[in-house]
Amino acid sequence: MKHILTLVFTLFTLLNSSYSQIYIEKKWDHTYGGNDFEVLTSLKQTSDGGFILGGHSKSAIGFEVSDSSRGGNDFWIVKTDSAGIFQWDAKFGGNYEDKLFSLDQTSDGGFILGGFTTSDSSGDVSQSPKGGMDFWLVKTDSAGNKLWDKRYGGSDYDWLYAVQETSDGGIIMGGLTYSDSSGDVSQPSLGSDDFWIIKTDASGNKLWDNRFGGNNQDQLYDLKQTPDGGFILGGRTSSDSIFDVTHPPRGDNDYWIVKTDANGNKMWDSRFGGTGKDNFLHLETTSDSGFILGGFTRSNMGADVSEPTRDTSALTNVDRGDAWIVKVDSTGAKQWDKRFGGHWVEDAFGYVSQTSDGGYIMGCATYSNISGDKTENNFGYEQMWLIKTDSAGTKIWDKTIFSNGEDEYAYPIQLADGCFAVACWSYADSAAYKTENGRGNYDYWLLKLCETTQPQLPIANFTISAPALCAGGCFDFENTSYDAGSFQWLFPGATPSSSTKGFPTFICYPDTGHFDVTLIATNASGSDTIIKTGIVIVNPLPLVNITQLGDTLFAPQGFVHYQWWEGNLPLPVDTNYFYVFTNDGFYHVDVLDSVGCPNSDTIYASHVGINEFTSNGISIFVYPNPVVNELKISGLQPFKNGNMRIIDLLGNVIYQARISAEEQIVNLSNFVPGIYFIEVDNNNIKSFARFVKE
């Protein structure tokens, strides 16, 4: 009977699980950036339910970047509300390179920002260099206003990678140092570079520092305060078993963790790795007083790596890797490890942390399509990839975050409502899960995702081949929808006015205006509709007509480009709005306006002599032409007692006089060199002439 009940329960569980498949639903996403390059390195939820994102920026003022660049890269933080809506940003830096790698909200509601600086005392950097590169700490209030900054370092290079407020209101920070005993570094070098931690009070005043390492490279990337008031430090080592490193090498690089007491004294260390390269990047404390470690491995199965590589490709010249997490207890003893990957490269590991159900959520970047542990193809080149596990590290689900570009790292955190926020630095435009175009190069990208048992509808989206065209122009449309099998397009005002193609081309708009485009994308679960209002912009063609004045042809002024033609021969040197012709015949001009719209006109020009001009059957003569000082105008008898005016190319009257003789002389010595026109008239009988002042 007992066996029958067990079988029934097992069948019930299997049947129930088949009806409760977990899907991941995107709730919202937002992009933040400037006109250049933003690299995201940290994401935290704030006490008001919003988010603080931090990294470094090279952008000038524009888009979400509200402050100018100090030098190369600057610290850049972005604060949002709980829906990811941008609230404010702040930038800090000096005259050279300043890069933020870690941040934390402090008990007063402000923030501490940690990274490194190579700047002199300049901009927001208030202290002079200690060495080639120093730890740099910035404290802000809750609105991102700087309260103070502090600089720490030795005589060489020192990188800060992790910062946290401690339970006593002070600050713990850590990274790596190349410096020997000097400046703020109180202990001599152990090898190439060593772990280095600093404890300060709430104002950033140093209380103590300590370093840990072996005879080679030892690089700290993360740290956390532990429940006993001490600290857990995590990084990688390539050292032998020597000095603070008490375990022999597994391969080229291994995970290395160091536990200290509250005063920074070492209690124990542990080392984990395979026979290849294993790069540690993140750790968190767990509810059982242990630790979860995350990074990526390029080792095959062996030593502490209990599973083989997921790479099944035939390529051997690419340095490949899988995400790798290691669970250890409170004494640093390994409990289990798990690796996750597809057939190609997984790298840029972001965060791993324990979830409310006792499992784990982790994120990395992936180049792989469906293979290994990966259940969805990439939409773009490199995508964020999330893996959710149970408490033993067994995968429950994985999710690829789709964009049409390249997304680096993945920083997932669980929210109070059980959903997840995840962020990265992204080089992609609006497509798939991303609803906003990129600002410049790479930008910060933040999403909220929730588990659901409902199958997901497709995501309708598209791009257009040009931001605007001219009347009669044709657009192409690129379908960037995700998980859709059929499409219905609506193009009001265009020919054709609809399409069912995935990529409609030659959609032509004869009339000017702004036009909407609708796309309905459908899959087996239903359809999604997107309407982009006014996305099609059709500009009018410019109005152009050629007029002749003497031997000069004129098109309207104000266009950005003119090309004159004599017959079917282009005139390579005359790209002004006027052209002086020498031969009778057909002349043609092509113009281009400020929005790029073209038009043209043609005229038959009749040449009546360089210096003779005829109007109303009456000729006047000007000479010499070109002229230096004195210009003679003859043939004025029909205009006697009338008026004469000289006009420049802008229509300004430069000279005027009464006509008193058959021939008049005008002194031009004060005229600016250029082209001028003479207008003579008497009782509305007019004639014109053109001359060139040298």
Side-chain angles (χ1 to χ4, degrees):
M1 183 66 178
K2 178 180 178 181
H3 295 298
I4 294 174
L5 290 175
T6 301
L7 178 60
V8 170
F9 177 78
T10 302
L11 289 172
F12 174 79
T13 302
L14 291 172
L15 288 170
N16 185 61
S17 65
S18 69
Y19 287 104
S20 58
Q21 181 178 347
I22 296 174
Y23 300 91
I24 305 302
E25 178 183 14
K26 191 198 89 171
K27 293 296 186 180
W28 49 255
D29 78 292
H30 294 284
T31 298
Y32 323 95
N35 58 4
D36 202 331
F37 204 106
E38 278 71 48
V39 172
L40 180 78
T41 57
S42 192
L43 169 69
K44 294 286 179 68
Q45 190 167 31
T46 51
S47 56
D48 62 0
F51 301 95
I52 186 79
L53 299 90
H56 36 275
S57 169
K58 293 185 72 174
S59 294
I61 296 174
F63 299 104
E64 286 77 31
V65 178
S66 66
D67 204 351
S68 58
S69 173
R70 274 53 164 176
N73 280 286
D74 301 307
F75 285 21
W76 189 50
I77 57 173
V78 172
K79 174 67 174 66
T80 80
D81 65 13
S82 60
I85 304 300
F86 177 89
Q87 293 180 311
W88 53 259
D89 76 304
K91 182 183 278 191
F92 309 98
N95 58 343
Y96 291 120
E97 289 292 313
D98 310 283
K99 292 186 177 182
L100 183 153
F101 286 98
S102 182
L103 57 78
D104 196 19
Q105 187 169 31
T106 49
S107 53
D108 62 0
F111 302 95
I112 47 172
L113 318 176
F116 68 72
T117 180
T118 62
S119 295
D120 300 320
S121 176
S122 58
D124 303 297
V125 182
S126 64
Q127 296 170 288
S128 298
K130 308 291 182 75
M133 180 182 292
D134 302 311
F135 283 20
W136 191 40
L137 193 66
V138 177
K139 177 68 173 73
T140 79
D141 63 17
S142 60
N145 301 302
K146 177 186 161 187
L147 300 177
W148 51 259
D149 74 292
K150 296 283 186 178
R151 182 173 197 151
Y152 317 88
S155 58
D156 209 323
Y157 285 84
D158 310 288
W159 280 266
L160 189 159
Y161 282 114
V163 65
Q164 184 185 23
E165 185 182 38
T166 52
S167 56
D168 61 0
I171 299 165
I172 186 73
M173 69 192 88
L176 60 96
T177 179
Y178 278 94
S179 297
D180 211 336
S181 177
S182 57
D184 300 300
V185 182
S186 62
Q187 295 173 299
S189 174
L190 298 171
S192 172
D193 47 355
D194 303 310
F195 284 22
W196 187 40
I197 60 172
I198 303 173
K199 177 69 171 66
T200 77
D201 63 17
S203 299
N205 300 306
K206 177 185 163 186
L207 301 177
W208 52 258
D209 74 295
N210 213 342
R211 78 188 295 161
F212 309 95
N215 62 346
N216 208 329
Q217 290 188 322
D218 309 288
Q219 300 170 337
L220 183 152
Y221 292 114
D222 204 4
L223 58 77
K224 296 291 185 297
Q225 189 170 33
T226 50
D228 62 359
F231 304 98
I232 185 73
L233 319 177
R236 68 184 186 186
T237 181
S238 59
S239 293
D240 298 320
S241 176
I242 189 171
F243 304 131
D244 299 301
V245 183
T246 62
H247 302 275
R250 273 57 164 169
D252 291 343
N253 285 309
D254 302 314
Y255 289 15
W256 188 44
I257 58 173
V258 176
K259 176 68 174 68
T260 78
D261 63 18
N263 295 314
N265 301 305
K266 178 186 167 187
M267 300 172 65
W268 52 258
D269 73 295
S270 290
R271 181 176 193 157
F272 310 99
T275 56
K277 292 181 180 180
D278 307 293
N279 293 325
F280 171 97
L281 286 168
H282 184 70
L283 63 77
E284 292 285 351
T285 58
T286 54
S287 57
D288 60 359
S289 298
F291 310 100
I292 187 74
L293 319 178
F296 57 92
T297 179
R298 293 188 173 109
S299 298
N300 212 326
M301 187 168 63
D304 300 301
V305 180
S306 63
E307 298 176 271
T309 178
R310 303 300 195 253
D311 177 19
T312 58
S313 72
L315 297 175
T316 58
N317 61 343
V318 179
D319 204 5
R320 303 183 181 284
D322 299 316
W324 189 44
I325 58 172
V326 179
K327 175 67 174 68
V328 302
D329 65 17
S330 60
T331 67
K334 175 186 164 184
Q335 295 176 296
W336 49 260
D337 74 292
K338 296 287 182 179
R339 80 187 293 162
F340 304 94
H343 73 288
W344 207 27
V345 179
E346 279 67 49
D347 65 0
F349 190 94
Y351 286 165
V352 58
S353 60
Q354 195 167 34
T355 51
S356 57
D357 61 0
Y360 299 94
I361 184 73
M362 74 198 74
C364 66
T366 179
Y367 293 88
S368 298
N369 285 322
I370 296 173
S371 56
D373 303 294
K374 199 159 182 293
T375 61
E376 296 174 296
N377 288 328
N378 281 6
F379 189 82
Y381 180 62
E382 183 180 13
Q383 312 277 247
M384 285 192 284
W385 187 38
L386 303 187
I387 303 104
K388 175 68 175 67
T389 78
D390 63 16
S391 59
T394 302
K395 189 184 89 167
I396 297 175
W397 53 257
D398 73 290
K399 182 62 189 170
T400 303
I401 311 300
F402 306 108
S403 79
N404 66 352
E406 187 171 1
D407 306 315
E408 293 285 354
Y409 288 84
Y411 302 103
I413 55 176
Q414 189 173 38
L415 309 178
D417 61 4
C419 295
F420 301 93
V422 60
C424 71
W425 37 296
S426 173
Y427 189 19
D429 282 325
S430 172
Y433 282 5
K434 199 166 187 292
T435 60
E436 299 174 78
N437 282 335
R439 309 309 197 228
N441 199 309
Y442 281 91
D443 308 300
Y444 295 2
W445 185 30
L446 175 66
L447 306 91
K448 181 176 180 180
L449 308 167
C450 296
E451 295 177 335
T452 178
T453 57
Q454 297 300 314
Q456 294 304 287
L457 299 176
I459 299 170
N461 210 343
F462 65 90
T463 60
I464 191 170
S465 59
L469 287 179
C470 308
C474 302
F475 293 85
D476 296 338
F477 293 85
E478 181 179 358
N479 172 18
T480 58
S481 302
Y482 172 70
D483 198 24
S486 61
F487 310 96
Q488 177 63 59
W489 299 80
L490 301 176
F491 306 111
T495 302
S497 60
S498 64
S499 176
T500 57
K501 296 179 180 179
F503 301 90
T505 58
F506 296 104
I507 308 300
C508 303
Y509 290 81
D511 300 320
T512 62
H514 290 209
F515 301 90
D516 302 344
V517 173
T518 299
L519 171 62
I520 305 169
T522 304
N523 67 10
S525 298
S527 63
D528 181 38
T529 300
I530 185 170
I531 302 173
K532 295 194 177 184
T533 303
I535 189 174
V536 172
I537 301 173
V538 183
N539 294 307
L541 299 179
L543 297 176
V544 56
N545 63 292
I546 302 172
T547 58
Q548 180 182 347
L549 185 57
D551 61 354
T552 306
L553 304 178
F554 292 93
Q557 297 184 55
F559 297 124
V560 298
H561 178 73
Y562 298 83
Q563 175 62 62
W564 290 91
W565 300 68
E566 183 177 355
N568 59 0
L569 298 176
L571 301 168
V573 295
D574 281 283
T575 55
N576 296 313
Y577 71 91
F578 60 89
Y579 174 67
V580 179
F581 69 95
T582 57
N583 301 309
D584 292 354
F586 285 99
Y587 289 84
H588 179 86
V589 68
D590 295 324
V591 301
L592 199 67
D593 66 14
S594 59
V595 296
C597 291
N599 210 342
S600 60
D601 190 32
T602 301
I603 190 173
Y604 184 84
S606 177
H607 183 70
V608 294
I610 292 295
N611 299 319
E612 177 184 347
F613 299 85
T614 301
S615 180
N616 297 311
I618 302 173
S619 296
I620 61 172
F621 302 88
V622 295
Y623 55 93
N625 191 5
V627 60
V628 177
N629 290 318
E630 289 188 345
L631 180 71
K632 295 180 180 180
I633 306 104
S634 62
L636 297 177
Q637 184 63 34
F639 303 99
K640 193 174 181 180
N641 298 319
N643 297 304
M644 176 174 63
R645 299 193 303 169
I646 298 178
I647 303 167
D648 67 13
L649 286 173
L650 299 177
N652 301 308
V653 177
I654 307 301
Y655 172 88
Q656 57 185 351
R658 297 285 291 178
I659 299 170
S660 58
E662 162 72 20
E663 181 177 272
Q664 291 195 202
I665 299 174
V666 180
N667 190 324
L668 304 178
S669 58
N670 293 326
F671 279 43
V672 175
I675 298 175
Y676 295 88
F677 299 95
I678 297 174
E679 175 193 78
V680 294
D681 74 273
N682 187 3
N683 295 323
N684 293 322
I685 299 174
K686 293 184 179 182
S687 195
F688 301 89
R690 180 195 63 82
F691 67 89
V692 176
K693 167 66 168 67
E694 293 184 335

